[in-house]
Amino acid sequence: HSQKETRRMNADDIYRIKVVNFDGKRIPILMQNENGPCPLLAISNVLLLQQKIHIHSDLAFIDFRQLIQMVGNHLVEFNPPHPNPEMQANQQQQIADSLAVLPKLGRGLDVNIRFQKINDFEYTNELSVMDMLGINLVHGWLYDPEDKKTASVIKDLSYNQLICELVELDHVTNTNKSSGHKPEESAAAWAKLPSVVSWNMAGCNPRSQTSAAASAPETSQSDDEPLLSKMRSAQVVEAFLNE
């Protein structure tokens, strides 16, 4: 959808209100109007359960514009002007940026996580909305710190950085192909590794080339090692991301 169409669709959205028992109280929450990600509803329901925003329990529905206005008003009230003029100017810019981003959260939220801590995200304007509302966002995609092999590869890299490493290896293997790197040499390198991921080097399936690998002349260890190291890391990364 175009931006104009998305704005129109968001503006037409209507959310059903359901009253639930929470912490001994009857509190209205919002229901999805269709399946899919909607961080705006998640934010609204957190604020409703915390009783920081309020919807009359007699209402059956609330529309997108009303919801944006309600959450936006709370965001401004939650961030009173800072007494330091310089800090206040920065704060006001953050508020303006958050209010501009808020309507976009009706359709989804892109995040780039790191895998050591549950609250480790790359900063974005969308995530700053959570900070400005005092909401802690967490994820559950962590590697086991006792898995030393995975920990040594993943380290503090983000999801996007790991994907870039996989793309870089793909580029290296394609470069080897275009520069005349022999398929049997690629197969020989792959034969040294367990078959964990589905990389194909120089157009060859490494496991289908065992006879060629056995007969291929070995390249020197110093020539093989950088590529082998990247392959091993790629195997660990793909195994982790596919768990």
Side-chain angles (χ1 to χ4, degrees):
H1 300 290
S2 68
Q3 277 192 331
K4 184 176 181 180
E5 288 173 325
T6 300
R7 285 196 298 269
R8 179 181 56 78
M9 290 168 62
N10 281 340
D12 292 339
D13 282 345
I14 295 177
Y15 306 104
R16 187 167 68 88
I17 298 170
K18 177 182 179 180
V19 178
V20 298
N21 292 315
F22 179 76
D23 200 21
K25 299 174 183 176
R26 300 272 292 167
I27 297 178
I29 62 170
L30 304 178
M31 310 295 290
Q32 281 187 300
N33 58 354
E34 58 184 34
N35 289 331
C38 189
L40 177 62
L41 284 189
I43 289 170
S44 302
N45 283 333
V46 167
L47 297 176
L48 284 166
L49 292 173
Q50 293 176 339
Q51 295 191 287
K52 292 180 178 178
I53 61 174
H54 301 275
I55 297 175
H56 199 286
S57 58
D58 288 344
L59 294 176
F61 298 93
I62 186 171
D63 67 35
F64 179 80
R65 291 188 184 90
Q66 290 173 309
L67 190 57
I68 290 294
Q69 183 176 1
M70 185 182 305
V71 174
N73 287 343
H74 174 71
L75 189 150
V76 173
E77 293 169 4
F78 188 71
N79 295 275
H82 197 282
N84 182 303
E86 187 174 332
M87 295 292 291
Q88 185 180 132
N90 180 61
Q91 179 194 46
Q92 293 304 309
Q93 184 59 56
Q94 287 183 307
I95 291 174
D97 291 343
S98 296
L99 292 176
V101 164
L102 200 55
K104 300 177 183 178
L105 299 183
R107 288 298 173 195
L109 174 65
D110 291 329
V111 296
N112 184 25
I113 68 172
R114 298 181 182 88
F115 304 93
Q116 290 180 319
K117 297 182 292 184
I118 62 174
N119 60 350
D120 199 352
F121 298 86
E122 181 182 274
Y123 176 84
T124 64
N125 285 336
E126 288 81 1
L127 288 182
S128 72
V129 174
M130 305 289 186
D131 294 335
M132 299 298 286
L133 289 169
I135 295 175
N136 294 322
L137 183 66
V138 298
H139 68 84
W141 199 353
L142 307 176
Y143 60 75
D144 183 352
E146 295 184 3
D147 181 353
K148 303 301 183 184
K149 182 178 181 181
T150 300
S152 67
V153 173
I154 305 299
K155 297 177 286 192
D156 63 346
L157 299 178
S158 70
Y159 177 86
N160 287 350
Q161 287 174 314
L162 293 178
I163 295 299
C164 285
E165 288 199 354
L166 295 180
V167 172
E168 180 186 358
L169 177 58
D170 190 47
H171 173 71
V172 169
T173 58
N174 287 333
T175 300
N176 284 341
K177 180 179 178 181
S178 63
S179 63
H181 191 73
K182 295 180 181 179
E184 58 269 20
E185 291 175 358
S186 297
W190 268 106
K192 299 177 183 179
L193 299 172
S195 181
V196 177
V197 295
S198 59
W199 291 99
N200 286 337
M201 297 187 59
C204 294
N205 183 316
R207 287 306 174 192
S208 68
Q209 299 291 331
T210 52
S211 59
S215 60
E218 290 290 330
T219 56
S220 69
Q221 184 176 357
S222 61
D223 290 339
D224 274 353
E225 192 53 41
L227 184 57
L228 286 171
S229 178
K230 286 181 178 292
M231 290 177 181
R232 294 187 188 104
S233 295
Q235 290 175 329
V236 173
V237 170
E238 283 217 341
F240 173 72
L241 295 181
N242 289 328
E243 284 180 351

